[in-house]
Every structure is written in C-alpha cells, then in structure tokens.
C-alpha cells in the first residue's frame, strides 16, 4: 500500500483530483521507476520530490493560459499533476523518447485525462501554438527558452523549474538575449530551485530602429 501525506489543499480542489494524483503517484512508483524514467532512489519520495514539486506551478499559471505544452515531459512531470489540478486547461505532453511517450499514453488513458494529449516527437517538430510552456529538468535556461519560443504566441511565456544555482547571472544572460525572467515561487526545501517565468522582452518606442 502506497501512503502519502497530502499537503496540497491550496493546489488541488476536490477528492477526485486528490485521488487522481494518488493514482498517478502509484503509476510512477510501480511503472515509471522500473522503466528507469524516475531514479530508483526516488521510489519512496515520489510525492514530495515530484508531485508536490510539480504542483508548485499551479499559482504561477495565468488565467489566460488555456493551452499549455510540457516540453520534454519525461514521466509526465510537471504536466500530468498540473493537468489534474487544472482540468479546465488543455495540456500537450511533448516527449521525443518512445518509451517515455508510451508511458505517458498509458498514464493519460488509465487516469482518464480528457484534457491531455501526448505528442511523441521532438519539440522542434511539434505543430502547435501554446499560451504557456513548461520545462522541468529539461535544459539550461536559454536552451529551454529556445525550445519554447517557437511554440509560443507573441504573448506566451515559459514556466521554468530552475535549479538551486539560479542567480543574477542567469537573469543577465537571458536579458542580453531579449528574454525577461522573473522568479514566481522560491524553493521551499534545500533541493528545490525557484520557478521562473520567462517571456520575450516587448520592444518600447525607444527600442525601435531609428528611434
């Protein structure tokens, strides 16, 4: 029997969502870990290390973001927990590796997630436009932004699960490339970095050529 302490009252509403999160955690423990999609060392800390860490993104997602793409979704983190918490939004889980994509399709089917679809292919080839992209354990900040930028509309953003080493140099490097980065949520535990929202800098009149 898989027991967890539920510490997510402000992030999910209703017993159905909590039951789905528990069912997903069970899938991660019994299917994703043996497949090597999650490290064996995390088998007994899937809830706090992966589910709750993903759910930190709930308050960061703008109301206007109706279509959301999880780039390099892996075992479905953070996309699946967020899709459960936000059933009125549409999610696409982008995953290039076939074994991981197959697990995602299994999870979506077994959990009955009607607001989620799996796109089994590289993000660079995806034919979609999202309001918001998600990136967790994907790549360095600018590389993640480069993948997201081609999938986003002009007002789109990337919610990025940054590492513990995130700092002013990361902000400066992104700014030099025309990307604004703002911390939305700071890490609670020592192993967590902040959640950072990235968007393209909007040009002002002073920035226009010849101004």
């Amino acid at each position: 029997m898989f027991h967890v302490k539920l510490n997510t009252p402000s992030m999910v509403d209703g017993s159905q969502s909590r039951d789905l999160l528990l069912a997903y955690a069970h899938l991660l423990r019994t299917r994703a870990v043996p497949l090597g999609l999650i490290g064996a060392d995390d088998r007994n800390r899937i809830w706090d290390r992966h589910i709750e860490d993903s759910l930190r993104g709930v308050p960061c997602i703008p109301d206007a973001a109706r279509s959301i793409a999880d780039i390099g979704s892996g075992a479905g983190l953070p996309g699946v927990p967020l899709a459960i918490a936000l059933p009125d939004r549409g999610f696409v889980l982008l995953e290039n590796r076939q074994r991981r994509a197959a697990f995602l399709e299994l999870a979506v089917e077994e959990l009955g997630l009607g607001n989620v679809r799996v796109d089994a292919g590289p993000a660079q080839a995806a034919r979609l436009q999202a309001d918001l992209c998600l990136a967790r354990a994907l790549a360095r900040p600018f590389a993640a932004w480069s993948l997201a930028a081609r999938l986003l509309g002009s007002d789109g953003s990337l919610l990025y699960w940054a590492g513990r080493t995130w700092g002013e140099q990361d902000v400066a490097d992104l700014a030099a490339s025309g990307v604004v980065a703002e911390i939305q949520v700071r890490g609670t535990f020592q192993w967590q970095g902040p959640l950072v929202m990235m968007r393209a800098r909007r040009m002002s009149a002073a920035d226009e050529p010849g101004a």
Side-chain angles (χ1 to χ4, degrees), residues 139-211:
R140 294 289 300 163
F142 186 73
W145 169 256
S146 297
L147 287 172
R150 65 171 304 279
L151 303 175
L152 294 169
S154 58
D155 294 325
S157 302
L158 167 66
L159 184 58
Y160 179 75
W161 272 247
R164 292 178 297 168
T165 59
W166 175 270
E168 294 181 2
Q169 188 61 52
D170 294 294
V171 176
D173 290 346
L174 288 163
S177 299
V179 182
V180 177
E182 299 175 335
I183 290 177
Q184 305 294 298
V185 174
R186 295 190 180 275
T188 301
F189 302 104
Q190 185 178 8
W191 52 267
Q192 288 178 322
L195 300 191
V196 178
M197 191 71 82
M198 300 183 197
R199 60 174 175 79
R201 181 169 61 87
R202 295 178 178 85
M203 293 182 65
S204 66
D207 296 322
E208 295 289 344

Side-chain angles (χ1 to χ4, degrees), residues 24 27-28 31-32 35 37 74-76 98-108:
Y24 175 57
L27 277 176
L28 291 178
R31 304 293 291 271
L35 286 171
L37 310 188
Q98 291 303 309
R99 184 166 58 173
R100 296 179 182 226
F103 171 80
L104 293 175
E105 290 169 351
L106 169 71
V108 168

Side-chain angles (χ1 to χ4, degrees), residues 2-9 18 22 47-48 51-52:
F2 183 46
H3 296 283
V4 297
K5 183 178 180 181
L6 295 175
N7 293 318
T8 57
R18 290 191 291 272
L22 285 169
W47 189 263
D48 61 338
I51 303 293
E52 287 192 337

